[in-house]
């Protein structure tokens, strides 16, 4: 029973961290762009990059960048959960074989 609880805990943590990771990456990137935009001559470049990131997110979110970020985050969490289940399965197979 403890193996199953450990598996569920690992799966839940993987899903949470995989969901939060793209949000932190995109948020950190946009924050970094806003900081770089304070340097003289780079404001137009950073605004153009930020707008392109927003258009990219809007593509996945049916016109809304925030919804696109949620879609990408849900996809990452699904893939992370699949990878965690595969790693658990592989660990069990290797444990049985040895």
């Amino acid at each position: 029973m403890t193996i199953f609880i450990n598996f569920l805990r690992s799966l839940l943590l993987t899903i949470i961290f995989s969901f939060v990771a793209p949000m932190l990456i995109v948020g950190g990137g946009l924050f970094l762009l806003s900081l770089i935009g304070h340097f003289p001559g780079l404001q137009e470049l950073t605004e153009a990059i930020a707008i392109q990131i927003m258009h990219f997110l809007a593509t996945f979110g049916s016109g809304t960048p925030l919804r696109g970020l949620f879609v990408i985050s849900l996809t990452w969490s699904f893939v992370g959960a699949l990878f965690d289940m595969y790693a658990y399965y592989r660990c069990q197979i290797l444990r049985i074989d040895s």
Side-chain angles (χ1 to χ4, degrees):
M1 190 66 172
T2 60
I3 294 174
F4 184 69
I5 292 174
N6 288 339
F7 169 70
L8 287 180
R9 181 177 43 201
S10 172
L11 187 63
L12 182 65
L13 287 172
T14 302
I15 289 171
I16 291 171
F17 287 137
S18 296
F19 184 81
V20 172
M23 291 186 179
L24 291 176
I25 291 170
V26 171
L30 291 175
F31 180 71
L32 186 64
L33 284 173
S34 70
L35 289 180
I36 294 172
H38 289 294
F39 290 112
L42 293 177
Q43 185 175 8
E44 293 84 15
L45 177 66
T46 56
E47 285 180 6
I49 293 172
I51 288 172
Q52 291 300 318
I53 291 173
M54 291 299 180
H55 285 297
F56 175 77
L57 292 174
T59 301
F60 290 103
S62 301
T64 308
L66 186 61
R67 190 178 297 162
L69 184 59
F70 281 132
V71 167
I72 291 172
S73 295
L74 285 172
T75 305
W76 276 41
S77 66
F78 178 70
V79 170
L82 287 175
F83 179 73
D84 190 52
M85 286 188 283
Y86 170 74
Y88 177 77
Y89 167 75
R90 188 74 182 146
C91 180
Q92 293 298 320
I93 293 297
L94 290 176
R95 190 180 305 166
I96 291 172
D97 289 341
S98 59

